[in-house]
Amino acid sequence: MPLMVSDATLKNLHPLEVKTLLFYEGGAIFDAPRMQVDLGLVLGQCNQALSWLEAKGFLHESQRRTDIFYERTDLGADYAAKGTPVERMVRVLAEKGPLTLPELAAAAGVENRDAGSSYGQLSKAGVLSMDGEKRVCLENPSAEPDRAIRQLLDRAAQAPLEHNHLSAQDQKEIARHARKRGAATAMFKIIERESVSYELSETGAQVRSALQERGITGEEIGQVTPEMLRDGSWQGKTFREYGVDAPTSRLLPGRRNPYAEYLDSVKDKLVSLGFSEFDGPVVETEFWNSDALFMPQFHSARDIHDVYYVKNPRHAREIEEPYLSRIAEVHEKGGNTGSRGWGYQFDRDFTRRLILRSQGTVMSAKSLRNAEIPGKYFGILRCFRYDQVDATHLSDFYQTEGIVLGEDVNLRNLLGLLKMFAEELAGATEVRYVPGYFPFTEPSVEVHIKHPRLGWFELGGAGIFRPEVTKPMGVEVPVLAWGLGIDRMALMHLGLNDLRELFSSDIENVRLRRRQG
C-alpha cells in the first residue's frame, strides 16, 4: 500500500512519539512498563507518548485489564500489632472476667461505639453474652474471633494482596473490611490498577515506514542550549523544524466558577423567600452531630454516618448546658418528650468527641435554640462522610439544610418546598417522593429525581423533627427539616454527568462549562 503520510504530520511528531513508533513493529504488543525498559523512559514520558499517539489514531488498544489489590491501612497496621477490637475484648474478658460494656471498652482500649458493634458480632456467634447485671461474659474461652482477618492483616504487612490470588473465602472476608479510599474504620484500602496494552494501527505502521524512509530518528535537537554551544555538541546534529504556522496562545477572559455561581443563585432564591442563613464550624462534637438528633450512641443507626475523627484535640472541653443534660435524659428515659428513650446510660465523655461534620442537619439542631417562631432558616454547609466515590457520591460534599418552624406547618408544606428544590433549583422534570427513615424525623420522606443519563438518584431526605429533637431545645411547635445534596442539584442544573466534574482540576473543562440558565 503506498504511503499517504504528509510532511506536516511527521514534523508535528514529538521525539517521544517518534522513538515509540520506530521501536515497535506492526503486531508488537506493548504498554508503559515495557516502554520504560525498552526505551529507557520514565513512566510519565511513556504515558504521554501513548496518549498522543492514540489520540492521533496511530495506536489502538490491544487489551485492557483492571487488577484489584488490598493495601493495609494505618488502622489495619494498628490492629495487626495490638489486636482487633474483637480480639482485645475477648482477651480482656479472659483475664478479668465479666465487665460492663463501658468497662470492657476502657479496658480493651477501644471506642465505646466499636465495643457496642463488636459485642453484637460476638453475641451472635455465641462467644459473648450479657448476664442479669448487664455485664458482658465470655461464653467460649477457646474461640478465636477475627482469625481470618488477622491472617490477612499479617499477609498484607509486606505487600498489598492481589484479589485474584486470594481464596473465595478470603475475598469474602476482606470485602467486609476494605474500602476504596480507606476510612477511619477500614482495615484495608482498595486499589484498582488498570493495565492497557497497545499495538500500531494501520496508519501508525504507515507513519513508522515514512519516518524510516526520511531518516527521522527522534534524536533531533529541538533547542540549542548554552552548554551545547560551549562544548560544540550541536555540530553534526539534525534539528527539528520550527512550526512558524503554529497558532498563537489563546486569550482567556476571567469568569466565575459555574458551581460557585450556582450556590449563590440558590442562596439568593431562599433569601428572597424570607429564609435566614445559618452557618457553623466544620469541626463538631458527637453531641451536636448525632446525639442531639436522637441517634443512639452505640447503635447501627449511626453506620450511615461514618465520620472522620479529629486526632488532636480529641474532645471538646464541655457541652453547653442545659442541653447536655436534657439530651442525656431523652436518650436514657425519654425526658419530657413522651418517648421512652433508648434505655441506655448516656456516655458524657463520648459525646464530647470531636469529628468533621458529617451532615448539615447538625446546624438545624443547633439553630433551634435561638430560632424565632414562626421562622425559616437555611444553610449551605460542607460535610465530610466516608463514601465510595463515583458519579453521584463524594466523601467531601455540600448539603443545603433548612428548617421551618410554626404552629400550622405540615407535611404538605414540606413537599411543596421539596418540589421547589427539585424542579426550580435542580431543573428536574421527573420527581418522585418515597417513604424514608431517619432517627430524628417522623414522618420521613426522600425526594428522588431522574437524570437524563444517570437515571434516578436520591436528592436528599426530609421530615418533621421528632419531639426528642425539638423539646430539649425549648421548641414546642412542629419543625419541618430537610437536608439535600446541593452538589447533586448542581449536577442536574449544569448538565453534568459526574459529581467529580464540579471540583475538577481540569481548568479547561471549567472554562468551557456552560453557565447556569
Side-chain angles (χ1 to χ4, degrees), residues 75-132:
L75 180 66
D78 182 65
Y79 283 176
K82 302 177 182 177
T84 66
V86 166
E87 291 176 316
R88 282 184 255 173
M89 289 169 61
V90 170
R91 191 185 309 147
V92 167
L93 290 172
E95 295 174 355
K96 299 188 176 183
L99 297 170
T100 65
L101 196 56
E103 291 172 343
L104 177 57
V110 302
E111 294 279 358
N112 285 326
R113 176 183 176 183
D114 292 335
S117 60
S118 296
Y119 170 77
Q121 173 188 339
L122 293 171
S123 176
K124 289 180 181 178
V127 179
L128 302 183
S129 65
M130 190 81 72
D131 65 15

Side-chain angles (χ1 to χ4, degrees), residues 222-233:
Q223 181 179 6
V224 178
T225 64
E227 291 76 13
M228 294 170 69
L229 292 173
R230 279 195 296 268
D231 61 23
S233 58

Side-chain angles (χ1 to χ4, degrees), residues 382-403:
R382 191 179 184 187
C383 303
F384 305 83
R385 186 188 307 168
Y386 171 76
D387 214 334
Q388 184 167 312
V389 176
D390 57 28
T392 59
H393 296 83
L394 297 175
S395 58
D396 175 359
F397 56 96
Y398 284 88
Q399 284 185 335
T400 177
E401 293 286 332
I403 52 175

Side-chain angles (χ1 to χ4, degrees), residues 282-284 289 307-310 354-359 384:
V282 297
V283 176
E284 273 294 354
N289 193 76
V307 299
Y308 292 97
Y309 289 96
V310 177
L354 291 175
I355 62 175
L356 295 185
R357 178 173 60 205
S358 71
Q359 55 179 333
F384 305 83

Side-chain angles (χ1 to χ4, degrees), residues 122-300:
L122 293 171
S123 176
K124 289 180 181 178
V127 179
L128 302 183
S129 65
M130 190 81 72
D131 65 15
E133 299 179 18
K134 299 295 183 181
R135 297 182 305 173
V136 180
C137 303
L138 181 59
E139 293 290 334
N140 184 4
S142 63
E144 294 184 83
D146 277 358
R147 181 179 181 182
I149 197 64
R150 151 71 59 182
Q151 292 174 343
L152 289 168
L153 286 170
D154 292 340
R155 288 169 57 187
Q158 301 301 321
L161 304 176
E162 187 172 354
H163 180 82
N164 292 333
H165 291 171
L166 297 175
S167 67
Q169 184 62 34
D170 284 344
Q171 290 176 0
K172 182 177 179 181
E173 180 67 26
I174 204 169
R176 297 173 50 238
H177 303 282
R179 293 176 179 169
K180 267 198 174 181
R181 295 185 61 184
T185 56
M187 300 185 202
F188 292 92
K189 176 181 179 181
I190 300 174
I191 301 173
E192 294 183 350
R193 296 175 182 169
E194 190 170 64
S195 174
V196 184
S197 299
Y198 298 89
E199 62 181 327
L200 296 186
S201 66
E202 183 177 344
T203 305
Q206 290 185 6
V207 174
R208 180 177 186 274
S209 297
L211 290 171
Q212 293 173 325
E213 183 178 288
R214 290 165 175 76
I216 300 174
T217 65
E219 300 295 339
E220 290 78 14
I221 297 175
Q223 181 179 6
V224 178
T225 64
E227 291 76 13
M228 294 170 69
L229 292 173
R230 279 195 296 268
D231 61 23
S233 58
W234 60 272
Q235 298 181 45
K237 299 288 185 180
T238 304
F239 293 84
R240 294 180 65 193
E241 295 187 20
Y242 286 97
V244 294
D245 295 327
T248 59
S249 59
R250 294 164 57 195
L251 292 178
L252 300 171
R255 60 168 293 190
R256 293 194 64 204
N257 184 286
Y259 185 39
E261 286 185 331
Y262 176 72
L263 293 180
D264 286 344
S265 72
V266 173
K267 290 183 180 181
D268 291 342
K269 175 71 172 180
L270 292 172
V271 170
S272 71
L273 293 174
F275 283 82
S276 299
E277 186 176 4
F278 54 57
D279 199 1
V282 297
V283 176
E284 273 294 354
T285 58
E286 284 277 6
F287 178 83
W288 287 113
N289 193 76
S290 301
D291 295 340
L293 292 170
F294 198 51
M295 296 173 66
Q297 291 180 326
F298 313 126
H299 193 275
S300 59

